[in-house]
Amino acid sequence: MRKLTTATAVAFGILAVGTTAVSAEKLTIGLASEPTSLDPHFHNLGPNNAMSVHIFDRLIAQDEKQRLSPGLAVSWKPVDDLTWEFKLRQGVKFHDGSDFNADDVVCTMARAPEVPNSPSGYGTYLKGKEVVKIDDYTVHFKTAAPYPLMGNDISTIPVISEVGCAATTEDFNAGTAAIGTGPFKFESYTPGESIVLTRNDNYWGDAPIWSEVVYRPITSGPSRVASLLAGDVDMITGVPTTDIATLKGNGNVTLSQGASNRVIYLHLDQFRENSPFVKANGGGDIKNPLMDVRVRTAISKAINRNAIVERVMEGVAIPAGQLLPEGFFGVSDKLDVVAYDPEGAKALLAEAGYGDGFEMTIHGPNDRYINDAKIAEAVAQMLTRVGIKTAVETMPRSVYFGRASRGAEGDLPEFSFILVGWGAGSGEASSPLKSLIATYDKDAGMGSANRGRHSDPETDALIKEALRTVDDATRQALLAAATERAIGNVAIIPTHFQVNTWASKKGLRYIARTDEYTLATGVVKE
């Protein structure tokens, strides 16, 4: 078996602390949010992506801080202005014993952006890229213009076998197509009950310390904590903010905590004059006020982000004024968190002709983000105080994301005002800019998660210029400028960045990740 260097092993999150031999050990994890599918290309969603890492490798791996390192590709580099060359790792086997080669890469990259009925797919990362097989272990990615972020983009795509490329989402969920090269193999999947994985003893890297991993969805926070304390699970994700202080004082529990790059934000319908969940006072029809930047600004001013962080999140979050937290590539040093200003909000509403307010509904999930339903309720209360009478409707994420992406009007989102979150899979600002802010263009892979359908040609131009700019400093400035313009136009309304907490039984510790993934390979022994 090929051994990784220590540095690469840490990058993969598979360095076994205090363990020198592979043994038969079981790990059970209680999940706050269950994957919506085991098809690695169906839904670009954090829980799905985290689960797929166990079964399917990427060409380029990301460590716990989303730094890039070799995966199924041992090297990648531009060979001219329009071509990147990837040299593939030889001797790698899929779980069914077949050899990994360039054919698998070519078909993977063709399938990933084209999965039917995907609520949020991978077109953002793959559209405009042509993949060419040079030989069995060399592929070229070709673009129409220079593209410096190729490595970041490709690090997000799970690689499947050529056989799996012809499979359906149902085939992956049944396990028949869930065949990768990753450190674990599919054993079983019972939605709502468990996902069971077994160690891949023929893994090309160091084998994980866990012979079996059982993921159990436990959506209730108190139930997750009770399961951990009772010994029913070894670790839990999404520790309720109300329990963190108590668990810190429990000598039988270890807490692992880290800030993520996930921004929790609000999308507003900016494309329909008759928005389905925006009404005049009393419930009559009204021309959609969310199309007016003054109204959107008023809504942003009406939200007390510090109160959300301190009261709803129990202090375990960071107020947000843009798309990524400080320290990530492409953030702006000119943007501050929007100050809470209810009187200013009322003045802007009056200026826009809505001095008497209007009615609308905020929609959100109730089992996806930390305190998501409580955040929606808090936002509704804040808006109601400034004259926008806001109702709340939350639902399981398995229902929510489909409706938020495609409603009764086909390709149009169903809702008017929604709570959602975005983690930058590529670890830099082009990810949320391309997905959340850019004008929706399915064929170009832009705006794939732009559920408010914000559209601004100048912002689009800045994003596109950044994506073809090779010089890092210039690209950083362009991404920051695009962010500044988007926030100035209130394309979306950021509220806060999540800080995530995992709890494990004594003797185990989790390596916290900025992408929020909960990986069995990141659970180490102390």
Side-chain angles (χ1 to χ4, degrees):
M1 180 182 296
R2 183 187 183 279
K3 298 294 181 182
L4 294 175
T5 64
T6 299
T8 305
V10 171
F12 274 85
I14 57 173
L15 186 62
V17 176
T19 300
T20 57
V22 172
S23 57
E25 297 190 64
K26 180 178 177 179
L27 176 71
T28 302
I29 299 175
L31 286 179
S33 189
E34 181 184 14
T36 59
S37 174
L38 289 192
D39 181 340
H41 303 146
F42 173 68
H43 192 179
N44 185 9
L45 186 71
N48 297 38
N49 296 340
M51 189 59 62
S52 75
V53 169
H54 296 82
I55 302 172
F56 306 95
D57 288 313
R58 278 76 170 151
L59 291 181
I60 302 172
Q62 295 185 10
D63 71 0
E64 70 276 5
K65 295 187 181 299
Q66 294 181 270
R67 295 169 297 202
L68 305 183
S69 64
L72 291 177
V74 295
S75 66
W76 57 98
K77 63 180 181 181
V79 293
D80 60 48
D81 286 348
L82 305 179
T83 306
W84 281 75
E85 181 175 271
F86 285 68
K87 289 291 187 180
L88 306 182
R89 193 178 297 277
Q90 299 187 34
V92 176
K93 298 281 188 181
F94 282 96
H95 298 157
D96 62 0
S98 60
D99 292 320
F100 161 72
N101 59 41
D103 293 327
D104 305 302
V105 175
V106 171
C107 75
T108 290
M109 302 304 165
R111 178 186 190 269
E114 301 295 344
V115 177
N117 301 315
S118 170
S120 179
Y122 288 86
T124 292
Y125 300 118
L126 288 174
K127 292 290 189 178
K129 299 177 177 70
E130 178 189 4
V131 188
V132 179
K133 174 183 176 180
I134 304 303
D135 59 43
D136 282 349
Y137 295 99
T138 306
V139 294
H140 283 178
F141 283 76
K142 294 182 175 292
T143 55
Y147 193 77
L149 293 170
M150 185 66 74
N152 298 78
D153 282 3
I154 299 306
S155 71
T156 67
I157 310 300
V159 176
I160 63 177
S161 71
E162 190 176 16
V163 173
C165 286
T168 65
T169 294
E170 290 72 23
D171 294 331
F172 281 95
N173 291 338
T176 55
I179 299 167
T181 62
F184 290 94
K185 299 180 178 181
F186 171 94
E187 181 66 25
S188 66
Y189 173 38
T190 306
E193 294 185 16
S194 68
I195 298 172
V196 182
L197 309 174
T198 56
R199 182 171 57 212
N200 175 15
D201 289 323
N202 294 317
Y203 187 53
W204 56 268
D206 284 349
I209 61 176
W210 309 108
S211 59
E212 180 179 281
V213 180
V214 178
Y215 281 93
R216 289 178 50 200
I218 309 174
T219 57
S220 164
S223 296
R224 281 196 307 282
V225 172
S227 294
L228 176 67
L229 296 178
D232 296 332
V233 298
D234 301 308
M235 189 178 87
I236 61 172
T237 71
V239 176
T241 53
T242 52
D243 291 317
I244 290 175
T246 301
L247 291 176
K248 279 183 178 178
N250 189 322
N252 294 317
V253 174
T254 298
L255 294 183
S256 302
Q257 198 169 63
S260 80
N261 65 28
R262 181 173 303 283
V263 62
I264 303 301
Y265 66 96
L266 302 163
H267 264 316
L268 311 91
D269 182 347
Q270 299 173 47
F271 67 99
R272 286 177 290 206
E273 289 201 357
N274 183 17
S275 194
F277 290 94
V278 179
K279 301 294 180 182
N281 289 324
D285 289 337
I286 185 176
K287 181 179 178 180
N288 180 10
L290 303 179
M291 298 176 72
D292 190 321
V293 67
R294 294 170 295 182
V295 173
R296 300 198 299 273
T297 302
I299 291 172
S300 186
K301 286 177 176 290
I303 296 171
N304 189 337
R305 292 160 177 80
N306 288 331
I308 289 175
V309 168
E310 293 166 9
R311 300 172 196 169
V312 181
M313 303 302 292
E314 306 282 339
V316 189
I318 302 167
Q322 55 183 305
L323 307 175
L324 280 172
E326 183 180 353
F328 284 87
F329 188 87
V331 301
S332 170
D333 60 4
K334 298 178 182 178
L335 290 172
D336 295 320
V337 176
V338 175
Y340 176 52
D341 183 8
E343 294 308 314
K346 292 177 183 177
L348 278 172
L349 288 172
E351 181 184 323
Y354 300 99
D356 294 330
F358 54 92
E359 298 180 4
M360 67 177 178
T361 300
I362 182 172
H363 288 88
N366 55 24
D367 61 355
R368 172 61 190 98
Y369 310 111
I370 302 170
N371 295 334
D372 43 16
K374 291 181 180 179
I375 296 164
E377 291 166 1
V379 168
Q381 291 169 8
M382 293 169 186
L383 297 186
T384 298
R385 290 190 194 112
V386 300
I388 304 173
K389 185 179 179 181
T390 306
V392 180
E393 184 177 351
T394 62
M395 61 199 73
R397 87 267 176 273
S398 58
V399 175
Y400 173 72
F401 284 108
R403 292 180 64 186
S405 301
R406 294 182 309 278
E409 298 177 72
D411 209 27
L412 299 179
E414 179 176 344
F415 306 135
S416 301
F417 183 55
I418 70 170
L419 172 78
V420 72
W422 184 266
S426 60
E428 44 72 47
S430 77
S431 169
L433 283 168
K434 287 192 299 182
S435 299
L436 310 182
I437 306 298
T439 299
Y440 179 74
D441 185 340
K442 185 176 182 180
D443 292 335
M446 301 293 279
S448 60
N450 183 349
R451 296 181 173 100
R453 294 297 194 267
H454 172 80
S455 180
D456 175 56
E458 188 170 329
T459 305
D460 290 344
L462 287 166
I463 296 170
K464 290 174 182 176
E465 181 65 22
L467 295 176
R468 59 176 174 259
T469 299
V470 175
D471 180 74
D472 284 347
T474 304
R475 186 170 70 256
Q476 155 77 28
L478 287 165
L479 292 172
T483 300
E484 291 158 12
R485 183 167 177 84
I487 296 300
N489 287 333
V490 200
I492 64 171
I493 299 176
T495 61
H496 62 280
F497 300 111
Q498 287 195 166
V499 173
N500 298 289
T501 307
W502 294 261
S504 55
K505 68 180 185 182
K506 184 177 181 180
L508 298 180
R509 176 175 60 86
Y510 187 66
I511 301 172
R513 299 177 60 92
T514 57
D515 58 17
E516 300 185 330
Y517 292 179
T518 299
L519 306 183
T521 48
V523 183
V524 297
K525 295 184 176 182
E526 294 190 307

